[in-house]
Amino acid sequence: MTNEYDETLPDLDPDLGARLDDLDDDLATQRAAALRTGLNDYDLDDEDFDVLDSVTDDPDAITYLPALPVIAIVGRPNVGKSALVNRILGRREAVVENTPGVTRDRVTYKGEWHERKFSIVDTGGWEPDAKGIDASVAMQAELAIELCDVVMFVVDSNVGPTSTDEAVVRLLRKAGKPVFLVANKVDDVRQEPESANLWSLGLGQPWPVSALHGRGVADLLDAILEKLPEISAVAKQEVGGPRRVAILGRPNVGKSSLLNKVVGEERVVVNELAGTTRDPVDEQVELGGKVWRFVDTAGIRRRVHLSQGADFYASLRTSAALEKAEVAVVLIDVTEVISEQDVRVIDLVLESGRALVLAFNKWDQIDDDRRRYLEREIELDLAHVAWAPRVNISAKTGRHMEKLVPALEVALESWDTRVATGKFNAFLAELAAEHPHPVRSGKQPRILFGTQASSRPPTFVIFTTGFLDPGYRRFIQRRLREVYGFEGSPINISMRVREKRKR
């Protein structure tokens, strides 16, 4: 496919945006309704009708889901908490290794059992009198107990109750949450009597399970659902609250320094050794008069599948943090040449559909010559994200940090943008009249109807009589940006090719 739409087309009619603004909303809606009615002459499937029925022109239409009940899984190190999480989820989400201490922070997953949905929180191993990084891990486990509706206390049935387990019991009694004592590693019926020793912990009936083989997990979940509330008493609604910002970048570009500067304290460990951060660190901060939730993530290395041990886990957790975020700040070290790793991190954001802000860090350390070379590198390597807001900062000194909030607000506003169906169809009609799709194999694809199926990110669905060339889809995308902005947000355009119903 040639670049006939990307390169050779003249600039958009500058009056198009004004004409669309001046177009009467009622008239645009009537025209779109007529086009929608015309679709009845075409073969549509159930998925098509779902898309069409879900259309709303309310720019503030955001679905608020009830807060899912939260189950926290706690216990001392290496008793099989993460293996149990994977068994409940039915997939390998949590990282499992025979080495104690693989999990360090609270990691939340979405689970479902008998059509009941819930959040499940995997925690690091809890130990009393822990020091150093182990103390931080223990603190995260204690927070998980405080911020849940039900606790699953996992104990190694083969080892029996230990002094550490008894210390956890005292912690659980203070919290006053419903507790299920899980005797893990009971792999067959002959080992069940060993779990009877756990009655001595004073938490009632032990539930013998095998996270490895799945034995007893179904009965345990049935019992938990009876205690689990329909709506969480502690969790927030799925959408709402502070906007979530993920700080991404390759190792040692200054992500933790940026979070520390934003928070105003040493929230995370900063070290010249690349890879200091392994687990995502959340922090709620007030910046620019608004409350934000920043997530500092581990650096994404050159080849995730070649990483080993903690580095591999860090990459997995970074991806998970990005999925929870709404906007990503990708840090790029301007003292070094823009690398393939930098581009990979940006592509990861694009694949996730999150809003994007590019932050060029260590700006105070470069001279005029480096700036000229940097601009050339940006033109060559980052042309595909020319729409992303750019801020030049120094995370260490705080220089130009005030520019970060306006860039985040612009990107999130674009991410939330919704174009009315009437206006979008008027836009498509103007576009087709200005530059119709070329004839292919004796046929010219025609656009029947278009709608914005969703926002976050803006996703448009176009019903057509034939396949639209990739170049023409990019052309529509570029025109959308010229008319509606969408600065800082990716745009998704999908097609539904439909044939006329035979009489």
Side-chain angles (χ1 to χ4, degrees):
M1 177 69 203
T2 62
N3 288 332
E4 57 186 296
Y5 304 107
D6 299 319
E7 305 294 342
T8 62
L9 283 175
D11 290 336
L12 180 67
D13 178 0
D15 297 330
L16 175 57
R19 287 202 303 275
L20 291 173
D21 287 338
D22 294 340
L23 182 63
D24 182 72
D25 289 342
D26 291 337
L27 179 61
T29 302
Q30 289 171 13
R31 289 177 180 173
L35 292 171
R36 165 65 184 87
T37 303
L39 281 180
N40 294 332
D41 295 334
Y42 291 80
D43 282 324
L44 304 179
D45 56 28
D46 291 341
E47 197 173 331
D48 294 334
F49 286 115
D50 288 342
V51 170
L52 294 168
D53 292 342
S54 66
V55 171
T56 174
D57 286 338
D58 182 0
D60 298 319
I62 299 171
T63 303
Y64 286 87
L65 303 175
L68 295 178
V70 181
I71 303 170
I73 297 187
V74 299
R76 58 186 178 80
N78 216 34
V79 292
K81 297 184 295 298
S82 294
L84 184 58
V85 168
N86 287 337
R87 178 60 60 183
I88 293 170
L89 296 177
R91 58 189 186 274
R92 292 182 64 86
E93 284 274 5
V95 178
V96 178
E97 195 175 83
N98 287 330
T99 309
V102 169
T103 304
R104 285 185 176 174
D105 64 329
R106 288 173 291 144
V107 186
T108 304
Y109 305 97
K110 296 290 188 290
E112 185 174 350
W113 182 253
H114 290 328
E115 299 183 354
R116 284 277 305 276
K117 294 184 175 169
F118 49 83
S119 296
I120 188 160
V121 182
D122 186 17
T123 65
W126 189 91
E127 291 186 283
D129 305 321
K131 295 181 181 178
I133 192 167
D134 292 333
S136 300
V137 172
M139 184 182 69
Q140 294 295 322
E142 291 171 19
L143 280 172
I145 294 170
E146 184 181 336
L147 300 174
C148 74
D149 298 290
V150 170
V151 179
M152 291 172 64
F153 175 33
V154 184
V155 179
D156 187 338
S157 179
N158 296 330
V159 176
T162 67
S163 59
T164 300
D165 294 326
E166 291 168 357
V168 176
V169 169
R170 290 193 291 273
L171 190 68
L172 292 172
R173 285 200 175 115
K174 286 181 188 174
K177 301 290 175 74
V179 178
F180 286 81
L181 177 59
V182 181
N184 192 25
K185 305 184 183 180
V186 180
D187 295 334
D188 57 49
V189 70
R190 291 172 299 175
Q191 293 178 293
E192 282 195 15
E194 296 177 8
S195 64
N197 295 330
L198 300 177
W199 281 93
S200 64
L201 291 173
L203 291 176
Q205 172 192 350
W207 291 85
V209 305
S210 170
L212 186 63
H213 302 294
R215 188 176 182 276
V217 175
D219 292 337
L220 171 64
L221 287 174
D222 288 340
I224 288 175
L225 289 189
E226 293 179 7
K227 292 278 188 182
L228 205 61
E230 290 289 337
I231 298 176
S232 174
V234 291
K236 293 181 179 178
Q237 288 180 309
E238 288 295 287
V239 178
R243 307 305 295 260
R244 295 185 63 89
V245 185
I247 307 173
L248 271 73
R250 55 187 172 84
N252 217 29
V253 293
K255 299 182 295 298
S256 296
S257 295
L258 175 61
L259 181 61
N260 284 339
K261 184 56 67 174
V262 166
V263 175
E265 63 180 71
E266 290 295 313
R267 174 64 175 84
V268 285
V269 176
V270 177
N271 194 292
E272 290 181 2
L273 176 67
T276 303
T277 304
R278 285 188 184 173
D279 302 306
V281 179
D282 285 30
E283 185 67 22
Q284 191 164 300
V285 297
E286 186 172 340
L287 196 64
K290 289 186 176 180
V291 177
W292 306 80
R293 183 173 292 282
F294 277 79
V295 185
D296 172 30
T297 63
I300 299 174
R301 294 186 180 275
R302 187 171 285 106
R303 288 284 183 269
V304 171
H305 64 279
L306 295 180
S307 301
Q308 294 182 349
D311 287 337
F312 178 71
Y313 309 142
S315 298
L316 292 181
R317 298 274 169 80
T318 294
S319 299
L322 180 57
E323 288 302 316
K324 295 175 188 174
E326 297 172 287
V327 57
V329 177
V330 175
L331 248 66
I332 295 173
D333 185 345
V334 296
T335 63
E336 300 179 16
V337 175
I338 294 176
S339 68
E340 179 190 350
Q341 279 177 278
D342 294 314
V343 177
R344 281 188 60 250
V345 173
I346 291 171
D347 288 343
L348 190 67
V349 176
L350 298 182
E351 288 167 14
S352 73
R354 300 303 182 261
L356 173 65
V357 173
L358 299 178
F360 292 89
N361 192 26
K362 307 182 184 179
W363 195 259
D364 54 336
Q365 298 181 25
I366 62 172
D367 55 23
D368 291 339
D369 286 341
R370 174 62 192 136
R371 285 194 182 101
R372 283 194 294 272
Y373 281 113
L374 178 64
E375 288 299 330
R376 182 62 179 156
E377 290 166 18
I378 291 170
E379 287 177 16
L380 291 174
D381 299 327
L382 305 183
H384 63 304
V385 288
W387 42 263
R390 282 175 49 184
V391 289
N392 305 326
I393 63 170
S394 171
K396 195 171 184 178
T397 65
R399 183 180 182 222
H400 290 167
M401 291 292 288
E402 72 280 358
K403 295 182 179 179
L404 188 59
V405 169
L408 291 172
E409 290 174 337
V410 165
L412 284 168
E413 184 180 357
S414 298
W415 200 57
D416 293 335
T417 294
R418 184 174 285 278
V419 179
T421 302
K423 292 292 179 73
F424 182 54
N425 280 278
F427 164 82
L428 291 174
E430 291 266 5
L431 224 58
E434 180 187 355
H435 294 289
H437 193 287
V439 176
R440 297 285 186 238
S441 302
K443 294 182 179 180
Q444 185 179 47
R446 187 163 55 89
I447 295 175
L448 301 171
F449 180 76
T451 184
Q452 183 175 350
S454 63
S455 55
R456 301 184 166 194
T459 301
F460 297 89
V461 177
I462 300 176
F463 291 84
T464 69
T465 59
F467 185 79
L468 300 184
D469 289 339
Y472 199 78
R473 293 205 300 275
R474 286 194 297 271
F475 162 63
I476 294 173
Q477 204 171 71
R478 199 179 83 191
R479 296 308 201 217
L480 271 171
R481 290 195 183 281
E482 291 176 2
V483 173
Y484 294 106
F486 291 114
E487 184 182 358
S489 175
I491 301 174
N492 296 329
I493 295 179
S494 64
M495 288 182 312
R496 292 182 179 269
V497 180
R498 296 295 176 258
E499 295 181 355
K500 207 157 192 174
R501 188 181 292 117
K502 294 179 181 178
R503 295 185 180 279

PDB file of all heavy atoms in Angstrom, residues 178-196:
ATOM      1  N   PRO A 178     -13.649 -11.081  58.591  1.00  0.00           N
ATOM      2  CA  PRO A 178     -13.882 -12.531  58.470  1.00  0.00           C
ATOM      3  C   PRO A 178     -12.621 -13.217  57.936  1.00  0.00           C
ATOM      4  O   PRO A 178     -12.025 -12.745  56.957  1.00  0.00           O
ATOM      5  CB  PRO A 178     -15.028 -12.627  57.465  1.00  0.00           C
ATOM      6  CG  PRO A 178     -15.669 -11.278  57.466  1.00  0.00           C
ATOM      7  CD  PRO A 178     -14.590 -10.294  57.788  1.00  0.00           C
ATOM      8  N   VAL A 179     -12.206 -14.315  58.575  1.00  0.00           N
ATOM      9  CA  VAL A 179     -10.963 -14.990  58.212  1.00  0.00           C
ATOM     10  C   VAL A 179     -11.245 -16.450  57.869  1.00  0.00           C
ATOM     11  O   VAL A 179     -11.965 -17.140  58.601  1.00  0.00           O
ATOM     12  CB  VAL A 179      -9.925 -14.926  59.362  1.00  0.00           C
ATOM     13  CG1 VAL A 179      -8.656 -15.684  58.972  1.00  0.00           C
ATOM     14  CG2 VAL A 179      -9.597 -13.482  59.712  1.00  0.00           C
ATOM     15  N   PHE A 180     -10.677 -16.900  56.754  1.00  0.00           N
ATOM     16  CA  PHE A 180     -10.718 -18.310  56.382  1.00  0.00           C
ATOM     17  C   PHE A 180      -9.304 -18.855  56.497  1.00  0.00           C
ATOM     18  O   PHE A 180      -8.387 -18.371  55.828  1.00  0.00           O
ATOM     19  CB  PHE A 180     -11.253 -18.484  54.954  1.00  0.00           C
ATOM     20  CG  PHE A 180     -12.736 -18.274  54.851  1.00  0.00           C
ATOM     21  CD1 PHE A 180     -13.261 -16.990  54.777  1.00  0.00           C
ATOM     22  CD2 PHE A 180     -13.605 -19.351  54.862  1.00  0.00           C
ATOM     23  CE1 PHE A 180     -14.628 -16.779  54.700  1.00  0.00           C
ATOM     24  CE2 PHE A 180     -14.979 -19.160  54.785  1.00  0.00           C
ATOM     25  CZ  PHE A 180     -15.497 -17.872  54.708  1.00  0.00           C
ATOM     26  N   LEU A 181      -9.139 -19.867  57.374  1.00  0.00           N
ATOM     27  CA  LEU A 181      -7.836 -20.483  57.592  1.00  0.00           C
ATOM     28  C   LEU A 181      -7.633 -21.568  56.528  1.00  0.00           C
ATOM     29  O   LEU A 181      -8.351 -22.575  56.508  1.00  0.00           O
ATOM     30  CB  LEU A 181      -7.772 -21.080  59.002  1.00  0.00           C
ATOM     31  CG  LEU A 181      -6.496 -21.834  59.373  1.00  0.00           C
ATOM     32  CD1 LEU A 181      -5.268 -20.932  59.257  1.00  0.00           C
ATOM     33  CD2 LEU A 181      -6.619 -22.402  60.782  1.00  0.00           C
ATOM     34  N   VAL A 182      -6.665 -21.349  55.634  1.00  0.00           N
ATOM     35  CA  VAL A 182      -6.445 -22.242  54.498  1.00  0.00           C
ATOM     36  C   VAL A 182      -5.207 -23.096  54.767  1.00  0.00           C
ATOM     37  O   VAL A 182      -4.090 -22.572  54.896  1.00  0.00           O
ATOM     38  CB  VAL A 182      -6.266 -21.441  53.190  1.00  0.00           C
ATOM     39  CG1 VAL A 182      -6.068 -22.398  52.011  1.00  0.00           C
ATOM     40  CG2 VAL A 182      -7.459 -20.527  52.955  1.00  0.00           C
ATOM     41  N   ALA A 183      -5.413 -24.417  54.885  1.00  0.00           N
ATOM     42  CA  ALA A 183      -4.296 -25.354  55.078  1.00  0.00           C
ATOM     43  C   ALA A 183      -3.835 -25.817  53.696  1.00  0.00           C
ATOM     44  O   ALA A 183      -4.440 -26.715  53.092  1.00  0.00           O
ATOM     45  CB  ALA A 183      -4.734 -26.538  55.929  1.00  0.00           C
ATOM     46  N   ASN A 184      -2.797 -25.190  53.171  1.00  0.00           N
ATOM     47  CA  ASN A 184      -2.334 -25.485  51.816  1.00  0.00           C
ATOM     48  C   ASN A 184      -1.383 -26.689  51.800  1.00  0.00           C
ATOM     49  O   ASN A 184      -0.857 -27.102  52.835  1.00  0.00           O
ATOM     50  CB  ASN A 184      -1.634 -24.260  51.223  1.00  0.00           C
ATOM     51  CG  ASN A 184      -1.400 -24.407  49.736  1.00  0.00           C
ATOM     52  OD1 ASN A 184      -2.111 -25.151  49.051  1.00  0.00           O
ATOM     53  ND2 ASN A 184      -0.399 -23.719  49.221  1.00  0.00           N
ATOM     54  N   LYS A 185      -1.182 -27.239  50.609  1.00  0.00           N
ATOM     55  CA  LYS A 185      -0.267 -28.368  50.353  1.00  0.00           C
ATOM     56  C   LYS A 185      -0.802 -29.680  50.916  1.00  0.00           C
ATOM     57  O   LYS A 185      -0.026 -30.577  51.270  1.00  0.00           O
ATOM     58  CB  LYS A 185       1.140 -28.065  50.876  1.00  0.00           C
ATOM     59  CG  LYS A 185       1.720 -26.751  50.314  1.00  0.00           C
ATOM     60  CD  LYS A 185       3.138 -26.500  50.748  1.00  0.00           C
ATOM     61  CE  LYS A 185       3.647 -25.148  50.215  1.00  0.00           C
ATOM     62  NZ  LYS A 185       5.033 -24.852  50.604  1.00  0.00           N
ATOM     63  N   VAL A 186      -2.138 -29.783  51.011  1.00  0.00           N
ATOM     64  CA  VAL A 186      -2.779 -31.058  51.348  1.00  0.00           C
ATOM     65  C   VAL A 186      -3.112 -31.715  50.011  1.00  0.00           C
ATOM     66  O   VAL A 186      -4.199 -31.515  49.451  1.00  0.00           O
ATOM     67  CB  VAL A 186      -4.043 -30.855  52.209  1.00  0.00           C
ATOM     68  CG1 VAL A 186      -4.685 -32.202  52.536  1.00  0.00           C
ATOM     69  CG2 VAL A 186      -3.707 -30.097  53.483  1.00  0.00           C
ATOM     70  N   ASP A 187      -2.190 -32.481  49.475  1.00  0.00           N
ATOM     71  CA  ASP A 187      -2.306 -32.972  48.096  1.00  0.00           C
ATOM     72  C   ASP A 187      -3.175 -34.211  47.952  1.00  0.00           C
ATOM     73  O   ASP A 187      -3.593 -34.540  46.838  1.00  0.00           O
ATOM     74  CB  ASP A 187      -0.905 -33.255  47.521  1.00  0.00           C
ATOM     75  CG  ASP A 187      -0.076 -31.968  47.400  1.00  0.00           C
ATOM     76  OD1 ASP A 187      -0.700 -30.896  47.273  1.00  0.00           O
ATOM     77  OD2 ASP A 187       1.162 -32.052  47.445  1.00  0.00           O
ATOM     78  N   ASP A 188      -3.435 -34.935  49.039  1.00  0.00           N
ATOM     79  CA  ASP A 188      -4.336 -36.093  48.947  1.00  0.00           C
ATOM     80  C   ASP A 188      -5.001 -36.309  50.302  1.00  0.00           C
ATOM     81  O   ASP A 188      -4.659 -35.673  51.304  1.00  0.00           O
ATOM     82  CB  ASP A 188      -3.599 -37.352  48.483  1.00  0.00           C
ATOM     83  CG  ASP A 188      -2.421 -37.715  49.379  1.00  0.00           C
ATOM     84  OD1 ASP A 188      -2.612 -37.743  50.608  1.00  0.00           O
ATOM     85  OD2 ASP A 188      -1.317 -37.955  48.849  1.00  0.00           O
ATOM     86  N   VAL A 189      -5.964 -37.238  50.328  1.00  0.00           N
ATOM     87  CA  VAL A 189      -6.780 -37.438  51.531  1.00  0.00           C
ATOM     88  C   VAL A 189      -5.949 -37.927  52.708  1.00  0.00           C
ATOM     89  O   VAL A 189      -6.289 -37.681  53.875  1.00  0.00           O
ATOM     90  CB  VAL A 189      -7.936 -38.421  51.207  1.00  0.00           C
ATOM     91  CG1 VAL A 189      -7.407 -39.837  50.985  1.00  0.00           C
ATOM     92  CG2 VAL A 189      -8.996 -38.401  52.287  1.00  0.00           C
ATOM     93  N   ARG A 190      -4.833 -38.587  52.458  1.00  0.00           N
ATOM     94  CA  ARG A 190      -4.000 -39.096  53.549  1.00  0.00           C
ATOM     95  C   ARG A 190      -3.360 -37.975  54.362  1.00  0.00           C
ATOM     96  O   ARG A 190      -2.981 -38.161  55.508  1.00  0.00           O
ATOM     97  CB  ARG A 190      -2.911 -40.010  52.984  1.00  0.00           C
ATOM     98  CG  ARG A 190      -3.424 -41.338  52.427  1.00  0.00           C
ATOM     99  CD  ARG A 190      -2.336 -42.099  51.714  1.00  0.00           C
ATOM    100  NE  ARG A 190      -1.811 -41.343  50.569  1.00  0.00           N
ATOM    101  CZ  ARG A 190      -0.786 -41.737  49.822  1.00  0.00           C
ATOM    102  NH1 ARG A 190      -0.142 -42.870  50.123  1.00  0.00           N
ATOM    103  NH2 ARG A 190      -0.381 -41.016  48.800  1.00  0.00           N
ATOM    104  N   GLN A 191      -3.222 -36.780  53.746  1.00  0.00           N
ATOM    105  CA  GLN A 191      -2.586 -35.660  54.449  1.00  0.00           C
ATOM    106  C   GLN A 191      -3.581 -34.791  55.207  1.00  0.00           C
ATOM    107  O   GLN A 191      -3.173 -33.895  55.942  1.00  0.00           O
ATOM    108  CB  GLN A 191      -1.827 -34.793  53.429  1.00  0.00           C
ATOM    109  CG  GLN A 191      -0.618 -35.486  52.799  1.00  0.00           C
ATOM    110  CD  GLN A 191       0.050 -34.594  51.757  1.00  0.00           C
ATOM    111  OE1 GLN A 191      -0.517 -34.310  50.716  1.00  0.00           O
ATOM    112  NE2 GLN A 191       1.264 -34.142  52.053  1.00  0.00           N
ATOM    113  N   GLU A 192      -4.876 -35.053  55.028  1.00  0.00           N
ATOM    114  CA  GLU A 192      -5.877 -34.204  55.668  1.00  0.00           C
ATOM    115  C   GLU A 192      -5.764 -34.166  57.194  1.00  0.00           C
ATOM    116  O   GLU A 192      -5.940 -33.118  57.809  1.00  0.00           O
ATOM    117  CB  GLU A 192      -7.293 -34.612  55.236  1.00  0.00           C
ATOM    118  CG  GLU A 192      -7.656 -34.101  53.860  1.00  0.00           C
ATOM    119  CD  GLU A 192      -9.152 -34.186  53.586  1.00  0.00           C
ATOM    120  OE1 GLU A 192      -9.921 -34.373  54.552  1.00  0.00           O
ATOM    121  OE2 GLU A 192      -9.538 -34.049  52.412  1.00  0.00           O
ATOM    122  N   PRO A 193      -5.496 -35.307  57.854  1.00  0.00           N
ATOM    123  CA  PRO A 193      -5.396 -35.255  59.335  1.00  0.00           C
ATOM    124  C   PRO A 193      -4.349 -34.265  59.832  1.00  0.00           C
ATOM    125  O   PRO A 193      -4.483 -33.723  60.935  1.00  0.00           O
ATOM    126  CB  PRO A 193      -5.031 -36.696  59.710  1.00  0.00           C
ATOM    127  CG  PRO A 193      -5.588 -37.527  58.598  1.00  0.00           C
ATOM    128  CD  PRO A 193      -5.419 -36.700  57.368  1.00  0.00           C
ATOM    129  N   GLU A 194      -3.294 -34.018  59.032  1.00  0.00           N
ATOM    130  CA  GLU A 194      -2.249 -33.083  59.465  1.00  0.00           C
ATOM    131  C   GLU A 194      -2.791 -31.657  59.624  1.00  0.00           C
ATOM    132  O   GLU A 194      -2.274 -30.880  60.438  1.00  0.00           O
ATOM    133  CB  GLU A 194      -1.099 -33.094  58.453  1.00  0.00           C
ATOM    134  CG  GLU A 194      -0.382 -34.433  58.365  1.00  0.00           C
ATOM    135  CD  GLU A 194       0.697 -34.436  57.294  1.00  0.00           C
ATOM    136  OE1 GLU A 194       0.968 -33.346  56.742  1.00  0.00           O
ATOM    137  OE2 GLU A 194       1.254 -35.512  57.011  1.00  0.00           O
ATOM    138  N   SER A 195      -3.838 -31.328  58.852  1.00  0.00           N
ATOM    139  CA  SER A 195      -4.389 -29.966  58.944  1.00  0.00           C
ATOM    140  C   SER A 195      -5.130 -29.745  60.259  1.00  0.00           C
ATOM    141  O   SER A 195      -5.390 -28.602  60.654  1.00  0.00           O
ATOM    142  CB  SER A 195      -5.324 -29.690  57.765  1.00  0.00           C
ATOM    143  OG  SER A 195      -6.458 -30.545  57.816  1.00  0.00           O
ATOM    144  N   ALA A 196      -5.471 -30.848  60.985  1.00  0.00           N
ATOM    145  CA  ALA A 196      -6.181 -30.697  62.259  1.00  0.00           C
ATOM    146  C   ALA A 196      -5.342 -29.952  63.289  1.00  0.00           C
ATOM    147  O   ALA A 196      -5.871 -29.325  64.221  1.00  0.00           O
ATOM    148  CB  ALA A 196      -6.580 -32.074  62.795  1.00  0.00           C
TER     149      ALA A 196
END
